[in-house]
Amino acid sequence: MFFQNIYSKKFLINLLILFIPFSYISGNLILNLNILLLIVVCLFIFQLDIFKNKFSQNDILILAFFLYILFNGVFNNFLNFKFENAPNQNVVLIKSLLLFRFLLLYFIIKYLIVKEIINFKYLFYSFAASCLFVSVDLIIQYIFGQDLFGFVNDGRRFAGPFGDEYIAGSFIQRFFIFLPFSIILFSKVKKPILSQLILFIVILLSIFGLIIAGNRVPLVLFLIILALLFVYEKKVRRLLLILVFSLILTLSYLIKIDKNFHNHYIGFVTKSFQVIDYLKTRIFTGEVKAYPGGNLYIKEFESGILTWQENKLFGGGVKSFFWNCKKIDRDKMRQFVSKRGEVNCNSHPHNYYLQIAGELGLVGLLILIIMFLKFTLEGFKNIHGQKMNFDQKKILIPFFIIFLTEIFPLKTTGSFFTTTNSTFLFIILAFVVGLIDFKNKTYE
C-alpha cells in the first residue's frame, strides 16, 4: 500500500507543503483544498501521535489564544451579537469554531518539523520559485500589457497571475526571503562570482516585480526585509547595497516618467506622514485631525478604535467588526462619512491589532501581544545565542524575518481571520516555534 511506505508518506506530505505558495496564486478554493488535504493526510498517517509530544510554553500560549477565541465566540454570539440584519445570527460562533483548523495546522506543521519529515531544501526552492514566477509575470504584464495568463493591467497597479486581486506585491514580499536563502543554503554553484550574479539577478527581478505591483506597504516591508538580510547574512551585504541603490533608481525613474506611478507613490508618502501625525495627536491629545483631500488609512484606523470602544474588554466577537462599526456615533466620524445614513464601514479596520481589539477585546489583544513578544524574544535569543547550531540558525532566520514583518504593528493589512492571512501566519508561527523548540537537528 502507498501509505505503508515511509518514503511515499514523506513525498506526499512534502508535495502538499511545496504547493502552498502556488495554491495562493490559484485562489482561495485551491488553497483551502490544499490545506484541508494536508490536514487530512497527516491525521490519517500519524493520528493522535501529532498531539502526544509534550507541549512547550509556546504551544500553550497559542492553545490559550484559540481557547479564548472559543470562549469569546460563545459569549458574544449569545449575549452580545444582536443585529437583526445579519445574514446569520450565529456567525460569531461559527467563525470562531472554524478558526480551529489553523490550530490543527500549526500542530501538524510543528510535528512534521520535530519528526524531520519536511525537506527544507525543496521547500526553500519551491517557495523561491513561486516568488520568482510572480515577479517575472508582473514584468511581462508591464512590458506587454498582459501577463502569461492573459490578464491585462489597469495602468496604476498590476496583479499578474492574481487576475483582479491586487495582492501580487504582498505575495512577493512574503515569499521573497526564500530566494536568497535557497541560493545561500542549498546552491551547488561553487564559483562565488557566479553565485553572486545569480543572487543579483533574482533579487533584482523581485524588486522590479514588487515596484510594478504597486502595493506600497509591502514595498516598505520589503525594505525592512533587506535590512534584516543585511544584518544576518554577511555574504550579501555588498550586493544588497547595490540592489537598494537599483531599487531607488528604478522607483525614481518610474515616478518621473509615469504619471500613474508618480501619483501612486508620492501620494503614499504624503498619506503616511499624515497617519503618523494622526496617531501622535490621537494618542497624546485624543483629538482627530482632518487632512485636505481625506485619508482612507486614517478613516480605517479611527473606525477600528471607535469600534473597540463599543466593547472594550471582550470585543464583539470574530467577524463582528462590520456590525459593531455601524453602531458608532456618526458625530465621532463626521470627518470621514457622508452627512446622512449609517457610518460607512468595511469588514475589518485594515490592521491586525485594531481588528483583534475590536473583535476579541483587550483580553484577546493582550494574549496576542504576549504571544508575539515571547516568540520575538526567543527568536532573537536563539539566533544570537549558543543553543542552536549554525545550520539551525540559517534555517530559522528566514522564517523569523517573515514573522517580524508579518506582525509589524504599523502596516495596513487584510483581515486577520481570512484564509490567506491566517494560513500564512500560523504556518510561519509553526516553523518559528518548531525550530526554536527543537534544537538538536542538523539540516543537510
Side-chain angles (χ1 to χ4, degrees), residues 278-279 297-309 315 321 348-361 365 368-369 409 411-413 416-417:
Y278 153 77
L279 290 173
Y297 297 113
I298 294 175
K299 186 241 179 184
E300 298 299 342
F301 285 175
E302 186 64 17
S303 68
I305 293 171
L306 295 175
T307 301
W308 162 69
Q309 290 178 349
F321 180 85
H348 58 88
H350 291 82
N351 178 272
Y352 285 161
Y353 298 92
L354 286 176
Q355 183 181 2
I356 293 297
E359 297 189 355
L360 299 181
L365 182 61
L368 187 78
I369 290 174
K411 69 175 184 176
T412 54
T413 67
F416 185 91
F417 298 115

Side-chain angles (χ1 to χ4, degrees), residues 165-345:
E165 288 189 89
Y166 295 100
I167 58 173
S170 177
F171 182 91
I172 293 172
Q173 174 253 306
R174 281 176 163 176
F175 290 97
F176 159 77
I177 195 66
F178 295 100
L179 261 175
F181 272 97
S182 63
I183 296 170
I184 293 167
L185 296 179
F186 302 110
S187 175
K188 294 183 179 180
V189 177
K190 295 181 179 179
K191 294 182 179 181
I193 296 178
L194 182 57
S195 180
Q196 289 285 306
L197 179 61
I198 294 172
L199 269 171
F200 179 81
I201 292 172
V202 297
I203 297 176
L204 193 62
L205 287 172
S206 299
I207 289 173
F208 286 162
L210 190 59
I211 293 173
I212 290 168
N215 301 117
R216 298 166 296 189
V217 172
L219 181 60
V220 175
L221 296 176
F222 185 82
L223 291 173
I224 295 174
I225 290 172
L226 291 182
L228 292 170
L229 185 58
F230 183 88
V231 170
Y232 286 119
E233 192 49 59
K234 296 179 181 179
K235 295 179 181 179
V236 298
R237 286 178 179 173
R238 184 180 301 177
L239 185 64
L240 286 176
L241 291 175
I242 298 172
L243 286 163
V244 170
F245 183 67
S246 301
L247 187 155
I248 294 171
L249 283 180
T250 302
L251 193 56
S252 300
Y253 175 73
L254 289 172
I255 288 173
K256 184 177 180 180
I257 68 167
D258 192 315
K259 185 178 179 180
N260 287 320
F261 273 97
H262 179 275
N263 295 336
H264 192 57
Y265 283 103
I266 297 301
F268 174 69
V269 173
T270 301
K271 291 183 184 298
S272 296
F273 280 111
Q274 290 175 353
V275 169
I276 294 171
D277 185 53
Y278 153 77
L279 290 173
K280 182 176 66 174
T281 306
R282 188 74 165 80
I283 292 170
F284 292 106
T285 69
E287 297 180 4
V288 180
K289 295 178 67 173
Y291 298 90
N295 189 317
L296 288 177
Y297 297 113
I298 294 175
K299 186 241 179 184
E300 298 299 342
F301 285 175
E302 186 64 17
S303 68
I305 293 171
L306 295 175
T307 301
W308 162 69
Q309 290 178 349
E310 294 289 320
N311 303 280
K312 290 184 178 180
L313 191 58
F314 296 113
V318 173
K319 294 293 184 178
S320 69
F321 180 85
F322 172 78
W323 304 100
N324 283 300
C325 178
K326 292 172 69 173
K327 291 168 54 180
I328 296 173
D329 182 352
R330 68 176 298 102
D331 288 338
K332 295 180 180 180
M333 291 285 289
R334 62 184 180 276
Q335 300 179 34
F336 310 104
V337 297
S338 59
K339 294 182 180 180
R340 297 180 180 179
E342 296 179 323
V343 174
N344 181 24
C345 294

Side-chain angles (χ1 to χ4, degrees), residues 42-43 46-53 104 107-108 111:
C42 289
L43 287 175
F46 305 113
Q47 300 177 18
L48 293 180
D49 287 344
I50 294 170
F51 309 101
K52 286 183 179 179
N53 289 320
L104 195 55
F107 279 113
I108 286 172
Y111 177 83

